[in-house]
Amino acid sequence: MSNDPLPSSFDDNADFYEESRWQKFSRRLTEEPLIPLGCALTCYALFGAARSIRAGDHATTNRMFRARIYAQGFTLVAMVAGSIYYQADRDRRKKFNDVLSEKKAQEKNLAWIKELEARDEEDKMIRARREAMRQGGKPSGGQ
């Protein structure tokens, strides 16, 4: 049997998904606020360097390129330190997400099986009506 998820009418149901992209972005931003700060500082230094190149100010250009290097170093250190600091939390979150996804996959599978059983029951009723119509009798069913 394939590990591909079964197609279902529940695919568009938001209850089967836990965290949106924006929620994940905001969570990561609050977990490690120094990384976006370092990225912003790097962008500011690049913007300042580009502006000073246009103005022809070589001293400011060099200072801004040094600032860019320092900002990139800061960002790299923040990434490594945050990675080390939050490793245990990430492991726990990964285990939680794995358990949650397994549970949701089981729920989705059970819902899909119920849907298939309902469709099968409906198909059996339609076949029984057709058979009754062929035999010249009244259609049997709840209608």
Side-chain angles (χ1 to χ4, degrees), residues 48-98:
R51 202 172 63 195
S52 65
I53 287 172
R54 285 191 188 132
D57 187 3
H58 298 293
T60 304
T61 301
N62 285 333
R63 192 174 72 234
M64 293 308 276
F65 277 134
R66 283 190 206 111
R68 176 191 59 89
I69 292 171
Y70 295 143
Q72 284 179 322
F74 172 78
T75 305
L76 185 63
V77 168
M79 286 171 56
V80 170
S83 174
I84 292 169
Y85 183 75
Y86 287 108
Q87 186 63 40
D89 289 341
R90 285 196 179 114
D91 289 342
R92 279 185 291 165
R93 185 160 190 79
K94 185 176 185 326
K95 287 179 185 176
F96 173 75
N97 285 340
D98 289 345

Side-chain angles (χ1 to χ4, degrees), residues 100-141:
L100 189 64
S101 65
E102 180 70 28
K103 180 182 173 189
K104 289 194 184 243
Q106 288 175 351
E107 289 174 359
K108 193 173 184 179
N109 196 14
L110 288 174
W112 178 243
I113 289 172
K114 284 182 181 179
E115 187 175 326
L116 286 177
E117 288 173 349
R119 288 179 185 178
D120 188 46
E121 191 65 34
E122 184 179 312
D123 192 40
K124 286 179 183 177
M125 287 182 6
I126 291 171
R127 286 182 185 168
R129 280 190 215 144
R130 285 183 190 158
E131 190 62 35
M133 294 288 280
R134 282 189 194 135
Q135 292 177 359
K138 261 177 122 174
S140 62

